[in-house]
Amino acid sequence: MATTLATQLAQIAARSTNPLDLKAQKQAHSKSLLFDQNVAASQDFDTIYQICLEGYQELCQMDKRFVGFSRSIFNEQSKREERTQMTAAQNEELDEVLESFLSLVGARLLLKPALKAVEWLVRRFSYVLKASRARHDYPALLSCWATIVTEAVAGLVDQSMSGRREIQRKNEEDVLLRILPFLSEGLSMRQVPDLRIGCYMILTVLASKLDLDEKVLLAMMEAVVLDWTPNTTHAGLICLAILSQRRQSVRLPKQILKAVMSIQGIETDLSILSEQYRIDKFVIGLVLGTLERLDKEADLYRLTFVRTAIEGRLMSNTHIALATKAIVAAANNSEVSLEGGQDLQGQLADLILRLMDSELVGALVQDIIKETQTDVEKLEAKLQMVLRPNDKQQDQIAKGLEMEDITEEPQVQTFESITHHIPTRTAYEMSLLSHSQSYVYGSLAKAFLLASSSPLDLERFSDLPVLRKSLAMSEPLFISFFIRYWCGPHSAASRASAIVSVRDYIGHQAVTADLQILFPYIIYALADPNAKVRRAASELSFKLGSIYLERLDDKKEITDPILGSDNIYGSGSETKGVSWLSTADASRFVREILIPNLEEIRQDERYIAQLLVNSLNGPHKSKSLQSPAKDLRKSTKAALLVSLGSHVVHTPIYRVKLRLLSILNGIGTAGGVSKSKALLPLLLAQEKENERILTDHCELEDIDKSSFVDEVVKIVAPNDRDGIRVIQRIIALDDSNPPLSLRKAAVQRVRNFWSSMKPDMQISLAATLLSLAINDVALRSDQDIQGDALEILRGVPLSANTLHHLLETIPALPPTSGDGPAHSKRRRTSYGHVESHENVPPGGLQQALRHITIVLELIEESKIATTPLLTKGLFQVLTDLQHCKVQLGIESGYLQSLVLSSLHNIAEQSKTSTDVQLDRSAMRADLIVDCFRTSSNPQVQQAALMLMSSLATVSPELIIHSVMPVFTFMGASLLRQSDDYSAHIVDQTIETVIPPLVEALRKQKGGPLAGGSELLLSFVAAFEHIPSHRRSGLFSSLINKLGPEDFLFALLILLMDRYADNRDIRQFIQEFTSQYSPLIQLKTMEKYLEVVLDSLKPKPTVSSHFLTFSDDRTRASTALNLLSLPPNIFRAQRLISRSARLLLNRSEEAEQLRQTYSHLVRDTLLLAEKVQPYKKLPSACDLMLDALLGLLSLGESINSLDALLKRGNTNVQRQVLRSFEHRIGDESEGNHAAQEACIKFLAELSLVLESSSDVLLLHCATSCIDRIVERYGKKDVEAVGAVTRVVASDKCLGSDDSRLRVMALLCLSTSIEVLGEAIIPIIPQALPKAMDHFEANLEGEEVGERMHNAVYSFLGSLLLYIPWMVSGQYLDRALKVSYESANTDLPASCNEARKEVLNLIAKQVDAQECFAALLRTWDSAMVEGPEAVSEHLEILHLAIERQPKSVIAKQSQSLLNLLLKVFDLRRIQCSPRTDESYEDEEMDEVERIVDDVAIKMIYKLNDATFRPLFTRILEWATTPTGKKEKQGKIWRQISWYTFLHAFFDKLQSIVTSYANFIIEDAVEVLKNISTKNADSVTLWNRVIAALTSSFEYDQDEFWQAPSHFTAISQPLLAQLSHGALHEAFPDLIACIAALAVAADSPDHHKAINAAILAHMRSDDAAVRLAAVQCEMSLTGKLGEEWLSLLPEMLPFISELQEDDDERVEREVGRWIVQIEGILGESLDSMLL
């Protein structure tokens, strides 16, 4: 037991984390929701952050509540947060944030973005792993957790199922050890049903995919039922059913049985489950458990479940049979009743009857009871009921008759009637156990059956003359009848009567003969399953013992003859072959063996077998007996075994043979005589017997033939050579032709005792089995025998000598026709000098290949196939297969792979075992290489490589001279395979072959580089064909074995030279080299540049090993390709970060890194000067220099910038500044040293701006200033202000170069954010220039997008930070240029930039200033077009929306003036209308926008403020602009009534009273309409629409007032008379209907109706039609209320029915139908 201290230390160790435990850190880092463990382990936090950030940003788009987490857990700073370095308080605060995020994201966890976001919590903060309570704190997570974990578990299990069986088992155990503790914890949470169901899913996956032990499955099942609830029982039952299907046993523990059977309605649940899952094993377990627990009173009610399970076919037929047997057994063992008074037997009887009578399973249950040989008589007596029909009924049923159709009873046979026909004597029969056919036994047996129930009839039967009872002591006829009868298939009662008859006879008659003929048959009877028969046999045994005891008491020499010794089995050889016991041995057997154990024998049918076996084997081997058997003399044992064996051999009764064989086969040797020797004659006899005869015997005596032959072959013991020869002869297909069933049993017997056989017999028998497996005759005669023989060979352990012998039996390939060399000579023929064989018989070649296949498969499968004894033979077979391929063209890849695999196993064994020594003389490396090169089979190639790898480790000298062709061919074949096994082969080859190869290369004069380049070239040539996921691992293994310091640069040279056009090659190299240390990478690039420099020399040296040039052009092209790689290497983030960490140390490696870096800079500058004559190489060098400078930290880079900037080479200066610009963006804000260096560097950049005239350099400097100001500007505002003045000067902002001006504007935008109000002195200088540049840009032929957006960026910054600076003329100018921009065709980005600034104007500028500027610039906007007007109004809309009510009320007059200008747009555009005028659709759109703006303004005004404004607008709209401006008034009124329509429609009943102001003007418009003037018609439509809106929303009875109704109704109804406006009549009709609804008064309705009816007599058909349609509309809206005026309508309806216009007639008809539908009666009687 662990001490308290040890426990505490263990707890501390469990909670602590060791920063030096890299393995543990890597394992923790590999925990992932999205990626495989291997992939996750290789990812850094930058990569993970980018992936997870994408998911988080998508979440933010779905729900804005996630945005707040961007400042905490999804901040870029979180990549550097370590929980282990945080305080407890900080960790608690972090946990609160994480929990808040999880609670919000829980409902979306099934979405991919949510999983990506949660991945960051797992990988960065290890939250899900540490806070396990999240599994039940957030129920929304459970379903997702269950799905993810189940898939992960399935993946783990699939990964574990690879490799050899031993490895699989270990992997499976590891998976279980990792998962089961979590499952135990999850299943213990009773109150979290979803979690338990998830655990059930995982258990189901484990059980389905793994081969679990029985104990593990039971433990899982017990865990499922423990504390389950009604919410989880259904899922639990599914899990239990699947787990049960995986078990070998069907029995269920008490705990599981009790839990399942306690579920209410379990029968229904199981019936439902059976439709979707296999539950038969689960159900049979429940059934058997229920039946075994019937001693419990409560369980009696479960018999209903048993019946439902069987009748519902919830189990297979096999399990139904098992259940039926259990029911019968329960009935046989049941008591009459239980303590509670319940009738158990009655309920069981009822269950059996119900099942037998069931339509679904009745026939099946009856067949099962018959097949199981159930003693139905005994069962009926036990249950006191009839379970089967009597013979009479059976006969009737067999004849197809009904019971009531039988009118005549059959004649009943009596004992006298039967014996009357029995002859009084036999012709020649002396024994009824003779092998010849008996003609009286049948009649005697029938008579005895009738007599067995009556003692008197038994006595009369014994006295039958034919039995010659008086001669019973001299001839065996009398006793043989009874022996044959009790050994026959008769009822137990009659068999017991036969034994009793013999007992009574020898008890009442003088015994003058030795009755040992009874011994085998008494033993048969003592082993009878029926207790009554055993009791009778024990009494007979006791009587025999008494007789032998009396003879011994007389102390006389016993000379009685043995009854039947001459003719018991006939007069032939059968009887002569019987071995008889001496009287003393016979007496000893009865007295010492049988009589003392009779009581136990009566109780157990198996006891006699145990007794005999232990008696003959000896008491020291006695077992399973209550008292050990008495030790007999050795001679007695031998005699008894021989005697019983002889009776087994010669008895004609196969039942006796079978039962005694089952007993004697348990004996080994008795008294020096083996059981095999005693019983072997029976096997020989059966070998010669015909299959049909054997079948007839077994069917006649109702025994199982397969059981019989199984016992016969058990005679042969593993050490019995004679018996094994017989078995071998039986198995072999010779002329003996034994029974097929015996042959199959012999095959199975060999399988069972193979391991106990002697080696020489194993070899002989293996050869026989092999011959049988490959023999075509066997294939044609019986496929099962051949398959069994092959199965034996594969299933038994074959010794090395046996395998060697089988290997030597392989025939020659190619087979010879008879004149070729002999077999042994062929085996010695040299590989290179085998003659060609033609005309090979196809059948012989096929059989030979089958022979080879079987032998090689046996070697492959054998566990001892690693013995070197097989080496020479395997290589010879491999040689033959190669010859076969060359000479016959037969590809035998499978066989070659088997040979190579076996040789590989031998070589592998020699690595680990000193006892295994390779036969190097037999090894043929050239042959292995030849197989690899000539075969197209990938398995052969893989196996050959594996063998070469093993040989390279064991004996490298064997393969060193043959290895290069392997790598050459491997690059063209195996490297291209995508499977894992091929990858393993290649890795193994590299692991073992490369080291000795490198050692050999180092010894060469040219060094390893020359030979190594050839090796690398083999792999490089196959690069494109190597699967992408294998490339990195493959080349890593290769370079690590060769040495990265010596060969990595060579690999990079070859890859870039060969695949320069491949887009992925640089990315691959960057990722590949990142696995090495920074020092190795930089040294590699140093050697890389040396090769590039060398390649440009007239006579290259080092580069000649890798590169070939034809001319200078090729040389330049190659150098350009090579120079494209270093920038990718130098820019790798991993290299930069690792170099920075390394340079912080003062180690020797850091110093070497600095030196190497300086050499690289030097070589780069030298290369840049050298490549100047070439066209594209200088720019490539510039890129490389830029990337190289990026390796330095920002502080060190700035310190080195002075020298580089002063060199005078503007190209270098630009490259340095560009590099610096990029570097600033990558530095963290917390780097104080970088901050200070950048701020100081602003002064240097300012000098560059003032002194340089190179525009590109000025642009780079300005860009650097912008980046520094953006990043660190707030640290020193004065420095930023100084450099900003230079940027705003004519040197930059006033420059003629547009790119420089754009950069200056962007820089000024950034400076405004930093300086704020401090930039005000610069604005007067900068803002006019910006506006000038903008206007010039718009006036140009093409508008510059960058300049456009840069100006708006500058304006946007001003409006954000100092908006009061943008006012007056600046604001007007900004608006005007914006309108001009809106009228220009610009890209979407420009439009977005402009609209953002205009929105800022609306939001940031003072309301008074904004509204005034909009009023001042309205004309400019109108001139620029509809788009400019829309943006102008959008500014107004945003400004009104942003300002409070008080401000809007205060600025209401200014807004009114602006709105009046906008309302006047239509008049201005239409007077006169020109090509530049707006289209009608454009004017309508502007009016729609301005109406929305006006409504938005009205919402913020009260009635007192708005009413004067309304009257002023009305006055403006209705007052002519001049005496001759009538048309202008119409245009204004169109705009006005358009607004009124929106006004009444949006504000509804609130503003209905405002209609009082417009009634007079509306009436005037309606009265004065000119149908020939399109604008007048448009105005008319707008008035109708406005009135309709007012009518529809009248809730204050405004229009019901007579003054209002009268004023509007008459002119409105009069509009129906304008037939020319018929197209607009639907709107007019809708308006009239709305008025009728609003003016809800009978008088008003009557007035409306009268006016409409008047129009029905108009001369214009369109008017009449409109009047009818108007009536229909009113009828539909008002219904019966309107139809109260029907009497007035009827005359008009009658007239219109005969109208001249068909349309009018049709509409009147529809109107009549409408009226009839409302009234429910016809109008025919009312109409004239």
Side-chain angles (χ1 to χ4, degrees), residues 1274-1288:
K1274 293 184 179 181
K1275 304 298 180 181
D1276 191 343
V1277 177
E1278 294 183 0
V1280 173
V1283 76
T1284 302
R1285 292 187 184 90
V1286 180
V1287 173

Side-chain angles (χ1 to χ4, degrees), residues 706-925:
S706 61
S707 300
F708 176 74
V709 294
D710 286 343
E711 293 296 336
V712 170
V713 296
K714 286 182 182 178
I715 293 172
V716 179
N719 57 355
D720 181 12
R721 292 182 177 272
D722 294 335
I724 292 176
R725 292 192 184 97
V726 177
I727 290 288
Q728 188 173 349
R729 189 169 62 246
I730 292 174
I731 294 175
L733 292 171
D734 53 17
D735 297 335
S736 62
N737 194 23
L740 181 61
S741 57
L742 183 65
R743 185 183 297 159
K744 291 183 178 180
V747 170
Q748 183 62 36
R749 180 61 177 159
V750 170
R751 181 187 291 111
N752 295 337
F753 65 52
W754 180 274
S755 300
S756 303
M757 290 172 57
K758 294 183 179 180
D760 59 332
M761 296 304 299
Q762 287 183 348
I763 293 175
S764 176
L765 194 53
T768 300
L769 292 171
L770 178 62
S771 176
L772 186 61
I774 65 176
N775 199 327
D776 290 339
V777 178
L779 183 62
R780 292 192 296 270
S781 61
D782 190 272
Q783 186 68 43
D784 291 340
I785 291 294
Q786 187 181 45
D788 289 342
L790 189 57
E791 185 179 353
I792 292 175
L793 288 173
R794 288 176 173 169
V796 299
L798 299 177
S799 64
N801 291 327
T802 303
L803 292 174
H804 181 261
H805 176 77
L806 297 181
L807 190 61
E808 289 296 320
T809 62
I810 293 178
L813 278 180
T816 61
S817 59
D819 55 351
H823 177 75
S824 59
K825 184 177 181 180
R826 192 232 13 124
R827 308 296 280 181
R828 296 190 299 270
T829 303
S830 172
Y831 167 66
H833 300 86
V834 175
E835 297 180 359
S836 174
H837 300 273
E838 300 179 359
N839 302 322
V840 179
L845 179 60
Q846 183 178 2
Q847 186 170 356
L849 290 176
R850 176 173 173 78
H851 191 155
I852 296 174
T853 302
I854 293 176
V855 173
L856 292 179
E857 287 178 346
L858 292 175
I859 294 174
E860 175 70 17
E861 296 169 2
S862 177
K863 293 183 179 180
I864 59 171
T866 56
T867 173
L869 183 64
L870 307 177
T871 305
K872 188 173 182 180
L874 289 172
F875 268 104
Q876 186 61 53
V877 172
L878 187 61
T879 302
D880 291 349
L881 292 175
Q882 281 295 98
H883 289 160
C884 187
K885 177 180 179 181
V886 173
Q887 298 177 18
L888 302 180
I890 298 176
E891 180 71 39
S892 52
Y894 174 65
L895 300 180
Q896 287 180 317
S897 64
L898 287 177
V899 175
L900 294 170
S901 177
S902 299
L903 290 171
H904 171 256
N905 293 335
I906 295 173
E908 285 294 309
Q909 185 67 18
S910 65
K911 294 181 184 179
T912 57
S913 176
T914 57
D915 298 333
V916 179
Q917 298 295 329
L918 285 179
D919 184 5
R920 287 172 170 76
S921 62
M923 295 294 177
R924 297 286 302 276

Side-chain angles (χ1 to χ4, degrees), residues 422-491:
I422 297 176
T424 57
R425 59 175 297 171
T426 60
Y428 56 87
E429 291 182 82
M430 302 296 291
S431 171
L432 292 179
L433 293 178
S434 173
H435 286 265
S436 60
Q437 184 177 2
S438 174
Y439 295 98
V440 297
Y441 175 76
S443 300
L444 289 172
K446 192 172 185 180
F448 183 78
L449 177 62
L450 293 175
S452 61
S453 59
S454 172
L456 180 59
D457 289 342
L458 280 176
E459 185 176 354
R460 292 166 60 191
F461 177 82
S462 299
D463 293 335
L464 288 174
V466 71
L467 292 176
R468 300 198 288 272
K469 180 178 180 180
S470 60
L471 300 176
M473 289 295 103
S474 60
E475 63 180 26
L477 180 62
F478 179 79
I479 292 180
S480 65
F481 168 75
F482 294 104
I483 291 175
R484 183 168 180 176
Y485 190 89
W486 84 55
C487 295
H490 306 293
S491 66

Side-chain angles (χ1 to χ4, degrees), residues 1054-1071:
L1054 291 173
L1055 286 173
M1056 288 302 301
D1057 180 51
R1058 191 178 183 93
Y1059 302 108
D1061 297 333
N1062 190 327
R1063 297 180 179 179
D1064 300 330
I1065 190 65
R1066 293 165 185 79
Q1067 180 66 25
F1068 166 76
I1069 292 176
Q1070 178 181 336
E1071 295 176 357

Side-chain angles (χ1 to χ4, degrees), residues 597 599-600 603-604 607 610 622-629:
N597 297 282
E599 185 62 33
E600 290 81 1
Q603 301 297 325
D604 187 0
Y607 195 88
Q610 300 173 4
S622 178
K623 57 183 179 179
S624 303
L625 293 177
Q626 296 178 359
S627 59

Side-chain angles (χ1 to χ4, degrees), residues 433 435 483 514-524 562-569 573-581 586 589 639-658 660-661 664 678-679 681-682 708:
L433 293 178
H435 286 265
I483 291 175
D514 190 344
L515 298 179
Q516 60 179 281
I517 183 59
L518 294 173
F519 288 178
Y521 303 102
I522 288 177
I523 295 173
Y524 173 87
I562 300 175
L563 181 64
S565 60
D566 296 330
N567 53 9
I568 185 64
Y569 298 128
S573 59
E574 288 83 1
T575 303
K576 294 178 181 179
V578 176
S579 177
W580 301 97
L581 295 171
F589 168 68
L640 183 59
L641 176 60
V642 173
S643 178
L644 291 176
S646 65
H647 283 289
V648 171
V649 173
H650 296 292
T651 182
I653 306 175
Y654 276 70
R655 279 174 167 264
V656 177
K657 289 178 184 287
L658 176 58
L660 293 185
L661 272 176
L664 296 180
L679 297 175
L682 177 61
F708 176 74

